[in-house]
Amino acid sequence: MKQKLLALVCALALVVSLAGCVISTPDTVGSLGDYEISSGLYLLAQYDAYQKAADLASSDQDAANVKAFLKQTITVDSDSGETATVSDYVARKTLENLQTYAAIELRFDELGGQLTAEEEQQADSYAQQLMDQYGDTYKANGIGLNTVQRFERILIKSTDLLELVYGVDGETPVSDADLTSHLENNMYELAYYTIPLYNTSTYASADEDQTSEMLDLVQDAVDQTNAYAASLTGLSDSDFSSALLGYFSSVVTSALPEVYAVLGSTYSSDSNAPSLELIGDSTVTSAFTAEGAADTIRGLSIGQAAAVKYNSYALMAALRLDPLSLKALDDLRGQVLNDMKGEELSEALTAYGASLEHNLSSSAMNRMPASKIVNSSTN
């Protein structure tokens, strides 16, 4: 349930076993517009591109055998059936990554962006954590701490750009009225409990009858919640949400031991409080994959609860709340802007990056071929 602009950190966190190789690199590979591309950033972009190709490998392709995999063909668009050789795909995605990095940095500077000391510390801290955990991977692929720190700053700048472009004092500000409308019509504040459809000790899956029995028990708690909601009158929005949330927590957690017992599991938790999350419509589609679940969540009115089969592994008791009864609009602004304008900003950055004058050195890049990537992850 997450951000569209850059997903590189997840790709870099893949577990790999490493040969002890070291890549000899030039200092830079040139520039895109006025943005200089260090060799480390180039290798980072190339490694990410290779991981994207590995994700598209078929079951009979071994992405750990880098030199062989680069010569093979993958399907890059399942809808159209478009294919490409891995080497061509990696080259294209590497350039796209670099263009995105350059676009973020240049637009951030153009709009007068400035990372705070706290943001810089956050970037450095997370970069160090990544190096502590995956340093051997990075080093084997020619990626050092400075590069990871630089990338972490890019990631923070990509988030800050939403405010710089669409915020109150931004280049093209979104009005509070439009933000509120999007929040009310396209986003969902959910309080929820997830219940695994498997025994938490043996991992034996629930059969159809057990799933139905568990769902009925959760539905009883949901019905009580909805009856209680109907009885609440004359309260402010915040008091209504507070009262309903407390009741929902009480009746669902009271039901959970019996629900878990259907599969011979024991319910235990350090906190009986539900999870709280504000999600957009696209997340509803991608997260609620069981038949009818997404439509059920979309159909909830404020203050209404539902029991659904969330996906093939879990049930969910969910209560929809008014997000503005829990937080002020200013506290939600960044999240709403991301849901409302994130894709638009991403497309604008892609176009901006592609328009930059390319002054990249082929000779420098040829000294860092994808064939030198160290990768043993398998599809």
Side-chain angles (χ1 to χ4, degrees):
M1 293 183 178
K2 305 289 143 261
Q3 194 201 108
K4 300 176 183 176
L5 287 179
L6 297 168
L8 183 57
V9 171
C10 293
L12 287 174
L14 293 173
V15 177
V16 296
S17 64
L18 302 168
C21 72
V22 177
I23 300 175
S24 175
T25 64
D27 290 336
T28 74
V29 296
S31 63
L32 290 170
D34 295 328
Y35 185 70
E36 186 174 72
I37 307 294
S38 69
S39 61
L41 201 61
Y42 176 81
L43 289 167
L44 189 75
Q46 182 175 249
Y47 184 79
D48 173 62
Y50 187 86
Q51 295 305 323
K52 286 184 171 70
D55 289 341
L56 297 173
S58 61
S59 59
D60 61 347
Q61 291 176 316
D62 181 11
N65 189 342
V66 175
K67 290 183 179 179
F69 185 54
L70 285 168
K71 298 174 183 177
Q72 295 171 12
T73 299
I74 53 175
T75 300
V76 298
D77 188 325
S78 57
D79 292 332
S80 67
E82 178 189 353
T83 62
T85 61
V86 174
S87 59
D88 287 346
Y89 178 85
V90 170
R92 175 164 59 86
K93 285 297 178 182
T94 299
L95 179 58
E96 288 176 2
N97 284 340
L98 294 175
Q99 289 174 166
T100 297
Y101 306 159
I104 290 169
E105 295 262 38
L106 293 172
R107 285 290 284 144
F108 188 80
D109 290 344
E110 286 172 7
L111 294 171
Q114 182 70 46
L115 291 181
T116 65
E118 183 181 0
E119 286 176 324
E120 290 182 347
Q121 183 179 14
Q122 177 187 341
D124 291 349
S125 175
Y126 192 52
Q128 187 59 60
Q129 291 177 46
L130 290 172
M131 289 301 294
D132 290 343
Q133 191 166 3
Y134 305 111
D136 289 342
T137 303
Y138 299 144
K139 291 172 185 175
N141 286 284
I143 301 163
L145 176 61
N146 287 342
T147 296
V148 181
Q149 289 174 331
R150 186 175 181 182
F151 173 75
E152 287 303 314
R153 281 170 165 74
I154 293 172
L155 198 63
I156 292 173
K157 289 176 181 180
S158 73
T159 300
D160 289 353
L161 272 173
L162 281 164
E163 283 285 347
L164 291 170
V165 177
Y166 304 111
V168 175
D169 299 316
E171 187 178 51
T172 54
V174 175
S175 70
D176 284 0
D178 286 343
L179 274 181
T180 302
S181 176
H182 183 85
L183 179 62
E184 292 175 345
N185 296 315
N186 299 281
M187 301 188 77
Y188 306 83
E189 179 77 48
L190 297 180
Y192 63 91
Y193 294 88
T194 54
I195 302 104
L197 285 171
Y198 54 85
N199 182 292
T200 53
S201 297
T202 66
Y203 299 102
S205 298
D207 60 27
E208 189 173 334
D209 290 340
Q210 290 169 323
T211 299
S212 179
E213 182 180 356
M214 294 169 72
L215 195 56
D216 286 344
L217 291 169
V218 177
Q219 185 65 50
D220 287 343
V222 163
D223 289 343
Q224 293 177 58
T225 300
N226 288 333
Y228 180 72
S231 73
L232 293 175
T233 58
L235 298 179
S236 66
D237 290 345
S238 60
D239 287 343
F240 174 82
S241 291
S242 178
L244 187 56
L245 186 58
Y247 187 87
F248 176 70
S249 302
S250 176
V251 295
V252 174
T253 54
S254 294
L256 288 179
E258 188 176 359
V259 177
Y260 274 67
V262 173
L263 296 177
S265 298
T266 301
Y267 171 71
S268 63
S269 176
D270 294 334
S271 172
N272 285 331
S275 299
L276 276 171
E277 191 162 3
L278 178 64
I279 60 175
D281 190 70
S282 62
T283 301
V284 172
T285 299
S286 61
F288 291 84
T289 55
E291 184 178 358
D295 288 341
T296 297
I297 296 301
R298 289 192 182 96
L300 291 176
S301 56
I302 300 295
Q304 187 177 14
V308 297
K309 185 178 178 182
Y310 173 51
N311 54 33
S312 59
Y313 304 105
L315 304 178
M316 179 180 285
L319 170 66
R320 186 179 181 189
L321 298 169
D322 177 6
L324 292 175
S325 70
L326 305 176
K327 293 182 179 180
L329 181 62
D330 279 344
D331 296 325
L332 300 172
R333 188 178 302 276
Q335 195 170 353
V336 181
L337 281 175
N338 184 57
D339 191 73
M340 185 178 183
K341 293 292 189 177
E343 186 172 352
E344 179 181 308
L345 178 60
S346 179
E347 291 173 353
L349 289 171
T350 296
Y352 184 80
S355 73
L356 295 171
E357 182 180 356
H358 286 205
N359 295 300
L360 298 174
S361 168
S362 296
S363 61
M365 292 187 290
N366 288 340
R367 290 173 60 187
M368 298 176 286
S371 60
K372 288 188 177 181
I373 288 173
V374 177
N375 183 67
S376 66
S377 61
T378 54
N379 190 46

